[in-house]
Amino acid sequence: MKRLLRSGKLFVAVAASAVLAFQGGAPASAEGVRARSAPPIDFQLPFTCGQQWRLDTWAHAPALDMVREPDQVGTEGAVLVAAADGVVNMSFSHANAGNVIQINHGNGYFTTYLHLQSRSVGVGASVTQDQTIGRVGKTGPTSNGHPHLHFELGYDANGNGEASWGTSTSERVRPWFGGVEYGQSNSRTWRNVARDCGGTPPTGCSAVGLDFSAYATIRSGSSGDLVKAAQCRLKESGNDPGAPDGAFGPNVQAATRAFQADVGLGVDGVIGAKTWTALLSHGSTPTLRSGSSGEDVSRLQRALTAALGSTVGIDGSFGPETEQAVRAYQSSRALGVDGIAGPATWGALQDGK
């Protein structure tokens, strides 16, 4: 059975053998690869240095489900990086698995990442180890609505240029991270797994999540992940509040006041709905419409979530939900209602309207 962790406790959810039936039919010869020694590629845990993650096989070894330690705090929206150098082989939204990325690392090896909140690389893109490729999420019905990364290392046993994934008969093999083997059998758990990158954990914004289901008002004395997100966006707007430490102190307040003055908002040093909207939308203003994808769409979705006061799914894909949110925003702000995020819509968002 697949279990979910909540507040450090285990809860039975659904049978993993059923929920992972994404695709079928793969060569049994991949089984032989499972018994090999470490692959000829230095795969690393696909997260930033200094973080600790729990890895579980549940009932689908050698595949792994990963949640952030302790108690999964920070799993949703966590930055996902490439486990090794390679070329993106797949990047798409799957009916069951949600947002999926597969990377070809050469020598027949592929990594596949499922249930992502967002994807920031497309097919054919060359990536380097540690490069951001997306964010951890809970997309697709087989995530059970529970944020986690489903990770598979695959070996192209039939030589067709990809590695099948998602079932016990697929080409997935035991993962190796930093020279350590995982996924040997079902019902295995590895606690507090971390990358040893040398030196100290990163303090920059590359490891800070920006995606939330709501953007609550924060002010002097506030703390937590929302403050970190605000600190990073303030820095990107040219108003540096210092390192993203999650503490809303005098430097953050001063940077907020400066940003509010820059965009013509009331200067109070408090990040409420209007300031969040302007802060999250700050940047370029490309025309986005149904079918658009990428980080600009995620930025639009964050800003709409703040402006409308209701959750807009942040997945980097401009689908029906995003179009509906754009129309609702345009209507409520007396803009032309066309469901397209053009200059007028971006301008209103960046003014904090």
Side-chain angles (χ1 to χ4, degrees):
M1 303 292 281
K2 186 173 183 178
R3 300 171 180 132
L4 304 183
L5 290 142
R6 292 195 179 95
S7 300
K9 298 180 180 179
L10 296 177
F11 291 81
V12 176
V14 294
S17 59
V19 302
L20 288 173
F22 303 137
Q23 58 183 52
S29 57
E31 179 64 34
V33 180
R34 295 189 175 100
R36 286 186 179 180
S37 57
I41 298 169
D42 180 27
F43 292 109
Q44 296 292 333
L45 195 70
F47 305 109
T48 53
C49 297
Q51 297 179 354
Q52 294 182 325
W53 288 76
R54 171 172 173 157
L55 282 50
D56 291 275
T57 53
W58 304 120
H60 53 57
L64 297 170
D65 284 353
M66 304 181 182
V67 293
R68 184 101 177 255
E69 301 262 43
D71 295 328
Q72 303 176 82
V73 174
T75 298
E76 187 164 16
V79 171
L80 176 69
V81 303
D85 295 352
V87 177
V88 178
N89 189 56
M90 299 178 183
S91 180
F92 71 111
S93 179
H94 187 274
N96 289 325
N99 283 313
V100 176
I101 292 173
Q102 183 177 89
I103 298 175
N104 180 355
H105 301 283
N107 293 292
Y109 286 90
F110 294 74
T111 53
T112 307
Y113 313 79
L114 279 60
H115 306 313
L116 306 185
Q117 184 182 78
S118 61
R119 294 174 279 117
S120 55
V121 290
V123 173
S126 294
V127 296
T128 57
Q129 189 174 70
D130 298 334
Q131 179 178 332
T132 298
I133 60 173
R135 291 182 182 271
V136 177
K138 55 183 178 182
T139 57
T142 52
S143 73
N144 301 315
H146 187 74
H148 70 281
L149 173 67
H150 179 90
F151 177 92
E152 298 187 15
L153 178 64
Y155 181 78
D156 181 14
N158 66 358
N160 69 344
E162 62 183 46
S164 58
W165 49 271
T167 69
S168 60
T169 58
S170 68
E171 293 175 298
R172 60 193 184 193
V173 298
R174 293 175 186 172
W176 290 72
F177 300 121
V180 178
E181 184 183 29
Y182 299 89
Q184 292 92 330
S185 60
N186 288 337
S187 303
R188 289 282 301 273
T189 297
W190 294 265
R191 300 299 303 264
N192 300 308
V193 179
R195 293 185 55 178
D196 181 10
C197 303
T200 57
T203 58
C205 289
S206 62
V208 174
L210 301 176
D211 303 344
F212 298 87
S213 59
Y215 294 88
T217 297
I218 55 176
R219 51 172 52 87
S220 180
S222 297
S223 62
D225 289 341
L226 271 175
V227 176
K228 289 183 181 180
Q231 289 171 314
C232 288
R233 290 303 288 155
L234 284 166
K235 182 174 182 178
E236 291 167 358
S237 75
N239 299 280
D240 192 351
D245 58 3
F248 200 126
N251 289 342
V252 180
Q253 187 175 51
T256 299
R257 288 179 175 274
F259 174 77
Q260 291 169 330
D262 288 344
V263 299
L265 291 171
V267 178
D268 60 6
V270 175
I271 303 179
K274 292 183 177 181
T275 302
W276 269 124
T277 300
L279 197 56
L280 292 166
S281 62
H282 177 81
S284 60
T285 58
T287 297
L288 303 174
R289 51 170 55 86
S290 180
S292 298
S293 62
E295 177 55 31
D296 287 327
V297 176
S298 294
R299 183 161 52 92
L300 172 67
Q301 291 165 331
R302 296 180 196 114
L304 289 169
T305 295
L308 296 172
S310 58
T311 303
V312 178
I314 304 169
D315 60 4
S317 178
F318 198 124
E321 181 188 2
T322 302
E323 182 175 353
Q324 182 180 4
V326 171
R327 289 180 178 275
Y329 177 77
Q330 291 170 330
S331 177
S332 64
R333 271 62 174 182
L335 301 171
V337 180
D338 59 6
I340 298 172
T345 300
W346 277 115
L349 288 167
Q350 293 184 346
D351 286 342
K353 295 182 178 177

